[in-house]
Amino acid sequence: MAQMLVPGRLPRHIAVIMDGNGRWARKRLLPRAAGHRAGVRPVREVIEACCRLGIEALTLYAFSVENWKRPRAEIQTLWVLLRRYLRQELPELKANGVRFQTIGRVDALPQAVCDDIDNAIVETSANTGMRLNVALNYSGRSEIVDVVNGLLRQSHRREAPMQVDEAAISDQLYTADAGDPDLLIRTSGEYRVSNFLLWQIAYSEIWVTDRYWPDFRTTDLLESILAYQKRSRRFGGLPDEAPSRQLVAASK
Ligand code: IPE
Ligand code: IPE
Ligand code: MG
């Protein structure tokens, strides 16, 4: 399937809502934690495949602000898995030239998790390959609140004018360096964005699969990119071929 992709038309930035770990486990009569454990393999696969394809940025939704509503034990499992992942995968991330970053209010995470995150950020900061953003304690609305507060602070210091425009907001987003996602993938068949990258997905192409996240494989990623390449991105304008047709018509 990879051979069928058009190399010049790859998405530059892919974002993924990794959903369905709990249902994957329930289907197997396993505890939810088993679903989260099984969700590590596709994370590894997707990162590796995106590196190989030369994708510039990958943003993975790992924990939302709203996920604090879950039982303490489940949240604890997620931190244990994240710490283990960071420790085990750091050499591979470094070898692949990945630059690891997080988006979200990460300071609210347990100190030990923050320490491992900081270590991974520092260890990969000089890498020039794919930018990997992991969204932790993230919500699109809280990101916009942080942006507005940042602009207000700048304004108080008279570093910025009182009026803002779209560029001023985009520049302050957690993902400012990576640009907006071209392709947004959601697993587990849910047709909602669950507070993910609300500003950034204004014109992202959305691809939903019924597959639960632990079952997501490289072939699914390739299928989503193939589907993306067949989309006609118009950004409110006309399809690519339309202007030339209009010119021909006008010149007759
Ligand atoms: C996604 O899977 C992982 C996180 C939100 C942390 P879920 O845990 O939401 O799985 P479902 O949606 O209950 O199946
Ligand atoms: C979205 O999944 C958040 C992450 C994947 C981290 P949720 O399971 O939290 O979303 P809802 O509750 O189904 O909308
Ligand atoms: Mg879910």
Side-chain angles (χ1 to χ4, degrees):
M1 201 190 284
Q3 293 89 323
M4 287 154 70
L5 296 179
V6 183
R9 290 194 53 205
L10 288 169
R12 295 170 63 161
H13 182 178
I14 298 177
V16 189
I17 302 174
M18 312 182 288
D19 197 18
N21 295 354
R23 279 162 285 170
W24 181 94
R26 194 171 58 203
K27 219 174 83 181
R28 288 162 179 76
L29 304 176
L30 294 170
R32 291 180 59 85
H36 295 312
R37 272 196 297 277
V40 176
R41 173 180 168 176
V43 169
R44 205 177 286 135
E45 275 197 26
V46 165
I47 292 171
E48 201 189 312
C50 285
C51 285
R52 268 193 277 119
L53 287 168
I55 304 298
E56 289 174 29
L58 174 67
T59 301
L60 301 177
Y61 202 6
F63 191 86
S64 74
V65 167
E66 290 77 19
N67 288 149
W68 291 108
K69 294 173 189 163
R70 297 186 180 200
R72 259 175 81 101
E74 176 170 349
I75 296 171
Q76 199 51 40
T77 299
L78 292 170
W79 303 145
V80 169
L81 286 171
L82 174 63
R83 294 192 65 200
R84 192 179 303 158
Y85 172 83
L86 288 174
R87 279 153 187 260
Q88 285 178 354
E89 296 299 314
L90 195 53
E92 187 73 10
L93 293 176
K94 286 167 85 173
N96 282 326
V98 171
R99 186 160 166 207
F100 174 87
Q101 281 171 331
T102 57
I103 61 169
R105 294 176 176 173
V106 177
D107 291 354
L109 270 47
Q111 190 55 49
V113 183
C114 291
D115 290 346
D116 285 347
I117 287 171
D118 287 345
N119 181 52
I121 292 173
V122 170
E123 289 280 321
T124 62
S125 61
N127 287 351
T128 55
M130 186 178 77
R131 186 182 293 272
L132 170 64
N133 298 315
V134 179
L136 291 163
N137 194 21
Y138 175 88
S139 100
R141 287 187 175 179
S142 64
E143 174 175 30
I144 292 169
V145 169
D146 288 350
V147 167
V148 171
N149 282 324
L151 290 169
L152 285 172
R153 274 193 302 274
Q154 283 184 358
S155 174
H156 280 308
R157 294 196 303 259
R158 301 197 195 289
E159 289 166 9
M162 275 308 279
Q163 280 214 323
V164 295
D165 54 17
E166 290 191 12
I169 292 177
S170 291
D171 287 350
Q172 293 275 332
L173 292 169
Y174 304 149
T175 55
D177 296 346
D180 294 342
D182 300 294
L183 171 62
L184 172 67
I185 297 171
R186 181 161 189 154
T187 59
S188 86
E190 306 289 1
Y191 285 77
R192 56 174 173 262
V193 293
S194 299
N195 217 346
F196 192 38
L197 304 176
L198 296 181
W199 176 278
Q200 296 90 326
I201 60 172
Y203 272 104
S204 302
E205 294 298 328
I206 301 176
W207 188 82
V208 176
T209 173
D210 283 339
R211 235 188 260 303
Y212 295 140
W213 177 250
D215 289 330
F216 194 86
R217 293 290 172 269
T218 303
T219 48
D220 300 304
L221 175 76
L222 298 175
E223 194 184 326
S224 74
I225 298 175
L226 215 49
Y228 166 84
Q229 295 193 323
K230 290 185 185 138
R231 304 273 179 96
S232 164
R233 300 191 78 187
R234 295 194 279 276
F235 300 96
L238 296 176
D240 285 348
E241 60 277 13
S244 52
R245 244 195 268 125
Q246 282 171 343
L247 282 178
V248 172
S251 65
K252 275 190 182 152

